[in-house]
Amino acid sequence: MSETKLIFQLSQPGRSAVSQAPKAVAEDKLGAIPAHLRRQQKPALPEVSEMQVVRHYTNLSSKNFAIDKQFYPLGSCTMKYNPRGANRAAMLPGFLNRHPLAPETHSQGFLSCMFELQNFLKEVTGMKGVSLAPMAGAQGEFAGVAMIRAYHDARGDEERTEILIPEAAHGTNPATAVMCGYKVREVPVGKDGDVDLEALKAACGPQTAGLMMTNPSTCGVFERQIEAIAKTVHEAGGLLYYDGANLNAILGKVRPGDMGFDVIHMNLHKTFATPHGGGGPGAGPVGVSERLLPYLPTPMAGQRDDGSYHWIDTDTLETSIGHLSAFMGNAGVLLRAYYYARSLGRDGMIRVGEFSTLAANYLLKRLEAIGCTAAYPDRRASHEFILTFAKEAKELGVTAMDIAKRLLDYNQHAPTTYFPLLVPECFLIEPTETESKEALDEFVDAMAAILEEARTEPDMVKEAPFTQPVRRLDDVKAARELDLTWTE
Amino acid sequence: MSEIPAELRYASSHEWAKNDDGTVTVGITEHAQDAMGDLVYVELPEVGQVVAAGDEAGVVESVKAASDIYAPVSGEIVEINEALEDEPELVNNAPYEGGWLFKIAMSEETDLDNLLTADQYQAQIESE
Amino acid sequence: MPYIPHTPDDVRAMLDAIGADSIEDLFDEIPAHLKAAGKLDALPEGLSEMEVTRLMGERAAMDAGAVSFIGAGAYQHHIPAAVWEIATRGEFYTAYTPYQAEASQGTLQVIYEFQTLMTRLTGMEVSNASVYDGASGLAEAVLMSLRANRKSKSRKVLVPTALNPRYTAATQAIVENQDVALQTVGFDAASGQTPLDALKDFEGEDFAALVISQPNFFGSLEEVDALTDWAHANNMLVIGVVNPTSLALLAPPGEWGTEGADIVVGEGQPLGVPLSSGGPYYGFMCCKQKYVRQMPGRIIGRTVDMEGKQGFALTLQAREQHIRRSKATSNICTNQGLAMTASTIYCSLLGPDGLTNVAAHCHTNTQALAEKLTAIEGVERAFSAPTFHEVVLTLPKPATEVLAALAEKDVLGGVSLAKDYDMPNAILINATEVHSESDLDLFAVALKEVLAA
């Protein structure tokens, strides 16, 4: 595939997509703006025709892997099918043109969807209240830990300065704790993937504000001691935070609220099938137990006795941690999640956890059968599992990165690599419930072929990929000689 | 096997320290730069900054990792290696020479005694 | 089974390969009493695509039909058809974060082009790939200024009262747990601007940055050059908060004062992103080159592959949470990729002349609307400063009553300033290029009727 020029390189002075913009305004009509506040030269945007734009970005799109094109088994990312119907519904003119500050009289349709979505999420997670406001998983985490802090502060319990985090956790967890003004203490994970309970007990104390964890954990296994963990943290006076990154594994099977969690965030772009959009937007609603209800971020949707819907904001919920965005989070993403929830219904939601777990366990067994090494061979996979290529790296010089790159040549997106950090040379693989058995089998075939190549022509594998728009990129040059914008 | 000059002292966090009449030059060891990979950026302290042994005094970054640099001894920063601003790769190419990071006017001579000898450091990295 | 492809035979074969008797067996590590069986009964039955589409169509229709003059941080603009037809192509819509660069060159190049566009609009040197929205972008900018301003030891930032109060509130909620204080600076009641005089009280005090909003929440244009130079003279960084459409007409923040703004953020929504009840939008974030390592969020760089061919990759990742963990510049992982992609296409379609025309129409339509409305007895402009595309009007009656009565006529006549500014009779209105002369007349007629009633 050839190099695609930048849109700026297609630009010619005087060319434009005329029909896309209103007509020019006479300069004398702009006299109210003082000259010294005016721009001297027009911004150097590209001057291109409508068709050039359409062709350029269509061509660029073709350089992406995407769920609509490929199996995309990124662990902890839940790359499941994104229903097209959800997109059409969210793009209905009534939703698209609604101003976020439109009065409630002109917002009943949108508010009703949000109110119902809050209730669905409460039900499926076993929490007592839900706010849809956070705009991404990381913001949901922020809201969650900020609520933990608000809770302790409100009780005058200000000696709690530490958040405990299992060492296998995603990097956002510690980053979030710091944004909420906490110190981070990491808790070790045992050889079987479960938290080291004795170490946790030793780490808990009057300084403990809470524990952040995912379950199933980032090791791809269900944390079996979850009740003992909850008891330990609660007895120390801390609260329990559930990172919903892996909620897909247990949707409809176990509820975080029943496991003892006080606060959770959900990634609707994972579990509720909203698109990832090349890295966003997502949505990260939070759910809480009874004692954190007063602190939920605003706005939320409420319902009056007469059945009409209204906003709940900081003027009525004064203890709220407040607004995390200018308006109502990623409303359009929430509408897509609403569509998905209505589409699945009760039975559909229960099947999500079941079939994502079936797919992962099947794929794990098949990959083990062709010679892959599981990181936790004695454990059930959750909706995802870890392979380690430490042996291949040592004996053949072929790393997890090399195998990942070679998978692209087989038209398979690579799984998550080098995460969690505590397993060397690892793949974290999450097939999701929406992939057919044939698609899983094709991935196994590709992996078998690559393992064979690693033995017979390791140097070739180390140079992969060969079929993509570019070969391996010079990351060092990218960082040392920063080139972040185009100059003619 | 990476080079560990016998005349230097070492911190367990992989800095080396070289004392010249109370002015201690600090860098990272060959082992450390090797583990980091190609460095793309080095953040240095400011001249005049006063540090205690064990304080964070900079950061080295590669493409996929970042690692804090800790002051091995207490004192005032008197010089930084400005060449690293444009050529962080000096740390990779010559960790004990052109890739030094900063110099400290040491306030507590005894701090040096708390650092590892070359043999002790060698033993540490072998056990890692 | 919606979206699940497995036939009963597939399921049997998969279970056989696993060596399990049933799917339920796969959950045998979960304590039995924790299982959710029977606990989801309140959830409704699933619906077919036709049924959900009808249901949501009815809901959407409930919110349609009014003519709106609400701005206050989100603006209606014409969005060319090509923008979302391309942005929602599956290759953009269903791709993940571009971690595998070789298989993500489409997304990566779009971001590089976006970064270039934003620096050209703002007159700044570098841009990131966007953050969640304008308000949270300001919070990130405030935190960034504390890291970037080495001359300041302060954890305080000066914020004008005339900044969008929703931005102040969100910033407060995000930064307060890190012991960061926002010190407000008042506005001039006659002009609606942030006067230099109001800043004199803070001269000699240590603040990390001054926030300047251009235009400000009232639509008024600030004297940005004087404010910028004052901040720099007092060892503060300048954080510009700007409307991207306005930048086609207004001086870019990179040129404010002698040295220009240091960090620039704003709401990207006006550039081709629909109102959509408040999101997904995106916040753009630009800064001077020397502060790039303090900037949060994803950044794309141009480099070469092993054959020397041009390619694009994530760069400066050591700032980010997945590497720096608790010492990252922010916990942010994503950008608002799809919305940012739409803006890149939008800016390319409009070009320099098109965006200038949009901005000019916004300005002249708002001027025309203000003239029509202030022709009504008792309706006046609240402030004297020049404006871009929003104006504050004072009414002879309480704003909330008037707005409710207008809404009954399907005219959404702006937002009330009663709550945020103790100006009970004031409304903030906006018109853009989408409003026709008859839309403006509709508002004027309706307002006249409501005030006469």
Side-chain angles (χ1 to χ4, degrees):
Chain A
M1 204 179 296
S2 67
E3 201 169 277
T4 305
K5 284 183 175 171
L6 291 152
I7 191 77
F8 305 98
Q9 293 172 294
L10 306 176
S11 182
Q12 288 294 339
R15 185 184 285 156
S16 70
V18 191
S19 68
Q20 305 293 334
K23 292 191 177 58
V25 173
E27 182 60 35
D28 61 358
K29 295 208 165 173
L30 302 174
I33 303 176
H36 70 283
L37 298 178
R38 285 287 300 274
R39 185 174 193 118
Q40 302 305 312
Q41 283 170 330
K42 286 180 181 168
L45 306 182
E47 297 182 75
V48 284
S49 75
E50 184 172 341
M51 191 184 80
Q52 281 181 305
V53 173
V54 169
R55 187 175 288 167
H56 175 73
Y57 290 104
T58 302
N59 280 328
L60 280 185
S61 77
S62 71
K63 294 187 174 193
N64 276 357
F65 272 39
I67 303 173
D68 282 2
K69 288 165 69 183
Q70 282 96 0
F71 182 46
Y72 215 123
L74 278 173
S76 269
C77 299
T78 313
M79 302 297 282
K80 65 168 87 172
Y81 172 63
N82 307 146
R84 281 277 153 184
N87 186 47
R88 184 171 62 183
M91 303 269 279
L92 288 164
F95 289 137
L96 229 45
N97 296 330
R98 185 188 160 273
H99 193 286
L101 302 179
E104 286 170 359
T105 50
H106 288 67
S107 309
Q108 290 297 302
F110 175 69
L111 275 165
S112 68
C113 294
M114 295 301 102
F115 183 78
E116 289 174 21
L117 180 60
Q118 287 171 188
N119 283 341
F120 296 159
L121 295 179
K122 266 197 286 196
E123 190 70 16
V124 81
T125 58
M127 305 308 284
K128 289 289 186 291
V130 163
S131 165
L132 304 171
M135 291 178 285
Q139 231 197 14
E141 282 184 34
F142 174 86
V145 179
M147 284 190 275
I148 290 177
R149 180 159 170 167
Y151 169 81
H152 291 310
D153 286 355
R155 290 156 50 93
D157 195 355
E158 287 170 3
E159 302 305 307
R160 299 187 181 275
T161 54
E162 253 180 32
I163 291 281
L164 301 171
I165 298 175
E167 59 180 341
H170 195 269
T172 42
N173 291 172
T176 298
V178 168
M179 282 190 83
C180 291
Y182 283 119
K183 292 198 205 71
V184 172
R185 184 188 288 205
E186 297 209 340
V187 180
V189 170
K191 284 202 163 48
D192 57 1
D194 286 339
V195 165
D196 181 339
L197 192 58
E198 290 312 310
L200 175 70
K201 284 178 179 163
C204 273
Q207 79 289 354
T208 304
L211 168 74
M212 297 177 82
M213 66 179 294
T214 37
N215 195 18
S217 73
T218 46
C219 297
V221 296
F222 190 85
E223 172 57 67
R224 292 169 293 191
Q225 320 161 94
I226 182 60
E227 288 169 288
I229 291 171
K231 186 161 175 275
T232 303
V233 174
H234 283 150
E235 280 177 359
L239 300 187
L240 216 59
Y241 180 89
Y242 180 84
D243 178 329
N246 295 340
L247 184 62
N248 212 57
I250 56 166
L251 197 68
K253 298 308 285 183
V254 203
R255 306 191 305 173
D258 298 333
M259 287 190 257
F261 286 96
D262 298 287
V263 51
I264 74 169
H265 89 263
M266 296 152 262
N267 297 293
L268 299 186
H269 45 285
K270 299 178 182 177
T271 318
F272 283 74
T274 71
H276 283 78
V286 284
V288 293
S289 61
E290 190 84 36
R291 54 182 159 181
L292 292 181
L293 282 174
Y295 309 109
L296 280 167
T298 55
M300 290 181 281
Q303 189 174 29
R304 298 189 187 91
D305 292 341
D306 67 1
S308 66
Y309 299 95
H310 66 98
W311 290 110
I312 299 169
D313 214 325
T314 43
D315 49 358
T316 49
L317 190 67
E318 290 174 6
T319 47
S320 162
I321 59 163
H323 273 258
L324 304 172
S325 66
F327 303 109
M328 167 60 207
N330 284 335
V333 177
L334 300 170
L335 286 169
R336 286 169 176 81
Y338 175 75
Y339 175 101
Y340 182 74
R342 292 304 304 241
S343 169
L344 288 187
R346 180 197 318 124
D347 294 343
M349 287 211 209
I350 292 170
R351 286 194 204 105
V352 168
E354 291 182 346
F355 285 84
S356 61
T357 302
L358 175 67
N361 279 282
Y362 171 70
L363 192 56
L364 170 60
K365 286 295 176 211
R366 292 254 8 236
L367 288 168
E368 282 186 292
I370 61 157
C372 291
T373 308
Y376 301 101
D378 301 330
R379 300 293 307 269
R380 288 277 188 213
S382 60
H383 67 317
E384 63 186 0
F385 57 90
I386 301 176
L387 299 180
T388 171
F389 298 97
K391 184 166 61 90
E392 286 77 4
K394 192 167 172 213
E395 292 172 7
L396 308 169
V398 173
T399 64
M401 175 66 73
D402 298 328
I403 297 169
K405 297 298 184 197
R406 186 61 181 151
L407 272 169
L408 304 178
D409 287 331
Y410 282 86
N411 203 31
Q412 307 281 332
H413 196 280
T416 298
T417 52
Y418 298 94
F419 179 82
L421 301 170
L422 60 88
V423 181
E425 297 295 337
C426 71
F427 270 12
L428 182 59
I429 304 179
E430 178 182 1
T432 85
E433 72 279 10
T434 61
E435 293 293 340
S436 67
K437 177 171 172 296
E438 293 92 318
L440 305 179
D441 290 340
E442 276 175 35
F443 181 77
V444 174
D445 292 345
M447 284 295 295
I450 294 169
L451 289 180
E452 179 59 22
E453 289 169 349
R455 283 185 285 271
T456 54
E457 357 170 31
D459 290 341
M460 182 276 289
V461 178
K462 281 186 253 184
E463 297 224 321
F466 299 93
T467 58
Q468 299 305 307
V470 292
R471 302 285 303 279
R472 285 194 204 188
L473 292 162
D474 188 342
D475 291 337
V476 174
K477 177 182 163 72
R480 277 188 188 156
E481 302 163 31
L482 288 179
D483 175 352
L484 310 180
T485 57
W486 173 254
T487 39
E488 267 84 14
Chain B
M1 185 58 67
S2 61
E3 188 192 348
I4 304 175
E7 68 277 17
L8 304 181
R9 303 300 290 260
Y10 299 87
S12 56
S13 47
H14 306 286
E15 295 84 5
W16 55 260
K18 179 179 165 206
N19 183 21
D20 291 301
D21 293 336
T23 300
V24 175
T25 306
V26 180
I28 65 168
T29 65
E30 181 167 9
H31 171 78
Q33 70 76 22
D34 191 50
M36 290 288 296
D38 290 328
L39 294 189
V40 296
Y41 185 68
V42 179
E43 185 181 308
L44 296 171
E46 292 195 35
V47 171
Q49 192 177 326
V50 175
V51 293
D55 280 359
E56 286 168 22
V59 181
V60 289
E61 279 182 25
S62 66
V63 172
K64 299 265 148 67
S67 184
D68 290 316
I69 304 299
Y70 300 97
V73 297
S74 304
E76 183 184 333
I77 306 289
V78 290
E79 195 180 342
I80 57 173
N81 187 355
E82 285 170 7
L84 299 179
E85 193 173 323
D86 295 323
E87 291 182 89
E89 58 269 32
L90 286 173
V91 179
N92 294 114
N93 299 341
Y96 299 110
E97 301 291 335
W100 63 277
L101 301 177
F102 51 84
K103 296 182 182 181
I104 301 178
M106 184 167 46
S107 55
E108 296 288 338
E109 193 92 19
T110 53
D111 282 351
L112 280 176
D113 302 335
N114 298 327
L115 297 175
L116 307 174
T117 64
D119 286 345
Q120 288 167 326
Y121 180 64
Q122 173 80 40
Q124 177 192 313
I125 59 178
E126 278 170 13
S127 68
E128 271 175 6
Chain C
M1 295 190 286
Y3 320 123
I4 297 175
H6 306 305
T7 66
D9 285 349
D10 289 339
V11 173
R12 194 62 260 159
M14 291 165 83
L15 286 170
D16 286 347
I18 297 166
D21 291 332
S22 68
I23 291 179
E24 197 54 40
D25 282 357
L26 304 177
F27 293 90
D28 55 10
E29 291 189 357
I30 299 178
H33 62 278
L34 284 182
K35 290 193 184 161
K39 290 181 180 167
L40 304 179
D41 291 347
L43 291 173
E45 292 293 326
L47 301 175
S48 69
E49 178 172 304
M50 183 179 78
E51 291 166 324
V52 199
T53 304
R54 174 182 294 178
L55 171 88
M56 290 183 72
E58 288 165 3
R59 303 284 178 90
M62 293 169 76
D63 299 348
V67 180
S68 170
F69 298 90
I70 306 174
Y75 305 93
Q76 38 189 342
H77 289 288
H78 173 70
I79 301 173
V83 171
W84 284 92
E85 291 220 353
I86 297 175
T88 54
R89 284 179 64 88
E91 298 91 331
F92 286 133
Y93 189 74
T94 73
Y96 188 65
T97 301
Y99 284 132
Q100 293 293 340
E102 299 86 346
S104 314
Q105 286 296 302
T107 290
L108 288 163
Q109 183 170 334
V110 171
I111 298 175
Y112 181 82
E113 293 184 356
F114 168 79
Q115 289 174 181
T116 305
L117 285 167
M118 295 321 298
T119 57
R120 290 181 177 196
L121 266 180
T122 58
M124 301 299 287
E125 288 167 323
V126 294
S127 163
N128 72 7
S130 78
V131 293
Y132 305 129
D133 79 337
S136 61
L138 176 59
E140 293 285 5
V142 164
L143 295 171
M144 175 179 165
S145 73
L146 304 180
R147 298 188 294 268
N149 190 344
R150 287 197 164 196
K151 288 181 192 158
S152 167
K153 300 214 181 322
S154 163
R155 294 188 72 75
K156 292 185 296 182
V157 168
L158 286 171
V159 178
T161 312
L163 173 74
N164 186 334
R166 290 170 174 274
Y167 279 43
T168 313
T171 301
Q172 176 76 25
I174 293 168
V175 306
E176 68 185 351
N177 285 328
Q178 295 183 71
D179 294 326
V180 179
L182 306 181
Q183 170 67 51
T184 54
V185 183
F187 63 91
D188 183 86
S191 73
Q193 292 165 308
T194 305
L196 213 45
D197 283 350
L199 289 169
K200 299 274 193 235
D201 296 346
F202 303 105
E203 227 150 72
E205 266 189 72
D206 188 7
F207 290 92
L210 167 69
V211 175
I212 302 174
S213 175
Q214 181 75 327
N216 69 24
F217 185 61
F218 308 133
S220 302
L221 299 180
E222 301 278 13
E223 290 295 338
V224 288
D225 296 328
L227 296 173
T228 300
D229 288 343
W230 180 88
H232 286 149
N234 286 278
N235 290 329
M236 299 174 202
L237 298 189
V238 168
I239 300 172
V241 179
V242 292
N243 175 307
T245 308
S246 78
L247 292 179
L249 287 181
L250 301 181
E255 294 173 13
W256 291 355
T258 313
E259 292 172 35
D262 300 285
I263 306 170
V264 175
V265 293
E267 177 51 69
Q269 177 273 331
L271 301 177
V273 180
L275 288 171
S276 183
S277 289
Y281 298 170
Y282 71 91
F284 56 87
M285 188 164 201
C286 301
C287 70
K288 290 180 177 165
Q289 175 93 35
K290 61 181 171 182
Y291 300 128
V292 67
R293 281 169 195 281
Q294 305 305 334
M295 185 150 66
R298 209 161 273 161
I299 298 173
I300 304 307
R302 192 167 70 106
T303 181
V304 295
D305 73 3
M306 55 199 283
E307 293 172 355
K309 194 166 145 188
Q310 168 178 284
F312 302 89
L314 292 165
T315 193
L316 296 176
Q317 292 185 73
R319 300 163 298 118
E320 296 188 66
Q321 47 71 33
H322 61 281
I323 291 176
R324 281 295 257 166
R325 297 177 76 85
S326 64
K327 288 181 179 166
T329 47
S330 165
N331 73 343
I332 196 165
C333 308
T334 45
N335 63 339
Q336 300 274 105
L338 215 53
M340 177 225 84
T341 300
S343 276
T344 308
I345 300 168
Y346 175 88
C347 288
S348 301
L349 282 170
L350 265 68
D353 291 329
L355 193 66
T356 304
N357 294 354
V358 168
H361 273 269
C362 290
H363 175 71
T364 53
N365 265 351
T366 303
Q367 296 284 91
L369 177 64
E371 272 171 38
K372 285 179 196 288
L373 299 183
T374 53
I376 301 168
E377 176 87 30
V379 180
E380 288 170 11
R381 286 180 81 133
F383 301 119
S384 61
T387 56
F388 172 56
H389 72 351
E390 286 179 276
V391 173
V392 177
L393 300 180
T394 52
L395 309 175
K397 286 183 176 178
T400 40
E401 279 174 33
V402 175
L403 290 175
L406 284 170
E408 280 184 30
K409 297 173 181 291
D410 273 344
V411 174
L412 309 184
V415 296
S416 160
L417 299 189
K419 212 162 38 174
D420 292 313
Y421 291 98
D422 198 20
M423 294 169 69
N425 287 17
I427 56 171
L428 176 68
I429 58 164
N430 155 259
T432 69
E433 83 280 8
V434 304
H435 293 97
S436 65
E437 181 85 20
S438 60
D439 290 334
L440 307 185
D441 288 334
L442 182 77
F443 189 179
V445 169
L447 182 61
K448 199 167 181 180
E449 285 171 8
V450 165
L451 292 177

